[in-house]
Amino acid sequence: MNTRLHITLAAILLAILSACGTVEATNDPEHVMKLASNIADFDLPEGYTSEFSAEMAGYTLAAYKGASSPSHLYLIQSEKEADGKELENMLTQLAPGSSDPNTRMTVIENRPVSIRGQEVTLVISDGTNSDGEYYRQVTAAFQGKGGPALLVLSESL
């Protein structure tokens, strides 16, 4: 996956989880679902359970984990409209066959999909985690209920 995308994703996650400032974080399943529903209405994939949620500096994160590692689902939303354009621009640069040796991920397909009634591009990548486990990741930027949002779903293969 594109290094710029990973840097942006890491920056968003770090901003949310940073010890600097006031972070509201919890692993309460009801709160995780509440924050996720503030981003988008969706059916949680079978086998997924809430992991944690966090709010900070205009960002919201709802995280779920799958039954097998490295399976995760992240919904991230920003109140800043400019973040949406930046995410969309970065995702459109990811073409099938592009890879990143630092993340051990290769883009295998870009697929048009509809999320919340919006036509967006789903970026599908395969990768290997640090334990040598293979996984597939799908990423899509879309307009959430409260601002630009990002969906990241990783499933073990």
Side-chain angles (χ1 to χ4, degrees):
M1 184 173 283
N2 180 305
T3 302
R4 272 183 64 195
L5 177 61
H6 273 283
I7 290 169
T8 300
L9 290 175
I12 291 170
L13 289 171
L14 288 174
I16 292 170
L17 300 175
S18 170
C20 300
T22 303
V23 178
E24 293 182 37
T26 181
N27 60 0
D28 174 46
E30 289 182 25
H31 194 259
V32 174
M33 186 54 78
K34 178 182 176 226
L35 289 186
S37 69
N38 289 340
I39 299 171
D41 297 321
F42 67 101
D43 294 323
L44 192 62
E46 187 175 328
Y48 278 76
T49 58
S50 63
E51 188 170 18
F52 66 91
S53 62
E55 296 176 278
M56 181 187 161
Y59 293 96
T60 301
L61 167 67
Y64 297 89
K65 60 183 174 182
S68 61
S69 179
S71 301
H72 295 279
L73 184 149
Y74 299 110
L75 279 173
I76 305 164
Q77 182 172 260
S78 172
E79 295 175 355
K80 302 170 190 164
E81 286 303 320
D83 288 344
K85 194 63 176 166
E86 181 68 21
L87 286 171
E88 185 180 321
N89 288 340
M90 283 187 286
L91 289 176
T92 58
Q93 294 176 19
L94 299 177
S98 63
S99 62
D100 184 342
N102 295 321
T103 62
R104 298 188 289 287
M105 296 198 68
T106 300
V107 176
I108 59 170
E109 181 182 356
N110 289 350
R111 182 182 301 172
V113 298
S114 178
I115 298 179
R116 298 195 70 240
Q118 306 155 47
E119 292 300 316
V120 300
T121 300
L122 187 69
V123 178
I124 304 168
S125 305
D126 281 350
T128 310
N129 70 10
S130 60
D131 294 328
E133 298 170 302
Y134 292 100
Y135 67 98
R136 177 157 292 158
Q137 179 171 286
V138 296
T139 308
F142 65 98
Q143 186 65 29
K145 290 180 178 179
L150 183 69
L151 165 71
V152 180
L153 173 66
S154 300
E155 282 274 326
S156 55
L157 293 176

